[in-house]
Every structure is written in structure tokens, then in C-alpha cells.
Amino acid sequence: MKIKHSVSIPWHVIFIFTVLLLVFPVIFAIGNSFKSLDEAYSSVLNIIPLNPTFENYKTFFESLPALKITINTFIIAFVVTFFKVVTSFLSAYAFVYFQFKGKNVLYFILISTIFIPFTVTMIPNYLIISDLGLSDKLWGVILPQLADAVGILLIRQSMKTIPFSLIEVARLDNMGHGQIMKDIVLPLVRPAVTSTGIWFFINSWNEYVWPVLILKSTENYTLPLALQMFISSEGGTNFTVAMAVSVLTMIVPLALYIVFQKYIIGTFTTSGIK
């Protein structure tokens, strides 16, 4: 049944308005990052700079160890993503293909941790990291984030689509669990693993609250923390430089999402259907 053209027009208008509403902040940040401070304040809503300049990016690279900060951000995001993907994959495999007493109860308890607010675990984690002497160190940011229940949920849902008989046949051929995971399961759930990993990376790359509690030295900062240095609640905000840092911060996660968006959307769709 075809939808009448007159009926579909309002939905198209709503869709276009929603897209513009979501995209405008990104375009706003890019445009203002190439403006001088005077021009930005005199024409805030004009997203096209009249006299484009790279001075804001130059200021950021000269005032802070920008390369070191970018490397810190990448190291934290990469290590956190790697360990989260590995622990999620191994845990999901155990919950799908191993039979042990209390498995469903344990899985329920594990997944219920998704609904615990970060503010509940923030103070205990901070005290533990301080006692371990990891304050103001990258490992202090990384250590509490080596596992994630959401990743277990997503990869487990993908693994459940694999016929159990395929695993039984492999076991009859004397294949160990390590070989089964490497040669059978991983190739079949690679889209889910890839999309989950990209999602982990983007979240870790953009994280602010936990790193700001742990990292104190400027040379250990991440990009979101560097952004905050140009925004002051007490005045003196360097607005255009902050926009330049915002653009640099968004480039990597945005590029990853554009490249892998079909895997990300497909994984969440499959998880919902299953």
C-alpha cells in the first residue's frame, strides 16, 4: 500500500528538521573554530566565517602539549576497547556454550549492573585507584573499565544466532574451545564484535568525568579535559579555541562511526530482535 504524497510531506518536514537540529551543533563548532574571537561573538549564529583563520588551532598546539594529549586519548581508548572486547567475547561465549549451575542467575546479576548509575561506583573506584597509587596515571583511568556488561549482552545475542549443532559437531571433531572461538564463532560474530568495539572506542574517547577525577597533570590530559581548559565558568572563556579543540576531538569517533555505521546499527537491531 502506497502512502499518499500529501500525507508523507509532514513526515519529511519533521525528519529534515530533526536532522538539522542534530547536525547544527557540529557545523556550528566547525564554523566557529575558523573565526577570530571578535567575529565569533559579533556573529555567533553565522556558521560561515567571513575571514577564516587557523589561529585557534595554532593557539591550542602552542599552549598545550597537543600531540601528547592526543596520544593519551588514543592509548586510553585503544586499551579500554581491546580489553572490553576480549572480556565481552569470552564471557559471552561462556554464557552461550557452557552449562553450569546458576548460569541464568549470574547472567541476570551481570546485566543488571548496566542500570547502576556511575555515581554509585565512582567513589569506591576512586578510593581503590588512589590506594593502588594510580592517581594521575593513564592506568588509573583504564583499570576500572576493563569489562562491560553491555558488550557481553550484545555479543551474546549475536552468538545465540549460531546453530548450537555447529559447535557440537566441532566438539565431536576434538576441537578445543580456543579453536572453536577462533575458527568458527569469531568469523560469524565479527560484525557484532567490530561494532561493539567501535562503540566502546567512541565512548572511551569522549569520556570526561572519570578522567577528570584521576588525571591532574596537563601532560596526562585527554582531549575532553583539554577542551575544558578553554572554558571557564568564571569568565575568560576562549570560545573559538574551545571550538577548535571540539573539532579535533570529534574527528576520530565521527570517522569511525561513518565507516562502521552499518555494523553498529545492525548489531543493535539484531540484539533487539533476538
Side-chain angles (χ1 to χ4, degrees), residues 157-201:
Q157 294 299 96
S158 181
M159 284 186 183
K160 288 178 69 176
T161 62
I162 301 174
F164 195 77
S165 58
L166 186 63
I167 307 301
E168 291 179 331
V169 170
R171 293 294 293 165
L172 291 174
D173 287 341
N174 294 322
M175 291 181 65
H177 287 292
Q179 188 176 0
I180 292 174
M181 284 189 286
K182 181 174 68 74
D183 296 337
I184 298 177
V185 177
L186 182 58
L188 294 175
V189 299
R190 182 172 285 115
V193 172
T194 302
S195 61
T196 303
I198 296 301
W199 184 65
F200 285 153
F201 188 92

Side-chain angles (χ1 to χ4, degrees), residues 117-139:
F118 172 70
T119 50
V120 175
T121 60
M122 180 174 62
I123 295 177
N125 280 335
Y126 179 80
L127 294 175
I128 292 172
I129 293 301
S130 298
D131 289 342
L132 292 175
L134 294 177
S135 295
D136 200 24
K137 292 182 173 59
L138 299 187
W139 276 106

Side-chain angles (χ1 to χ4, degrees), residues 73 204-208 222-229 245 249:
T73 311
S204 181
W205 182 276
N206 295 329
E207 190 175 22
Y208 173 78
T222 60
L223 284 171
L225 272 61
L227 171 62
Q228 183 61 30
M229 293 188 66
V245 181
T249 304

Side-chain angles (χ1 to χ4, degrees), residues 32-33 35-38 40-41 55-57 59-60 63 226-232 235-246:
N32 281 278
S33 71
K35 293 181 181 179
S36 64
L37 190 59
D38 292 337
Y41 280 123
E55 192 63 30
N56 300 312
Y57 294 92
T59 300
F60 170 57
S63 59
L227 171 62
Q228 183 61 30
M229 293 188 66
F230 298 98
I231 302 175
S232 173
T237 296
N238 200 331
F239 171 66
T240 51
V241 178
M243 291 298 97
V245 181
S246 298

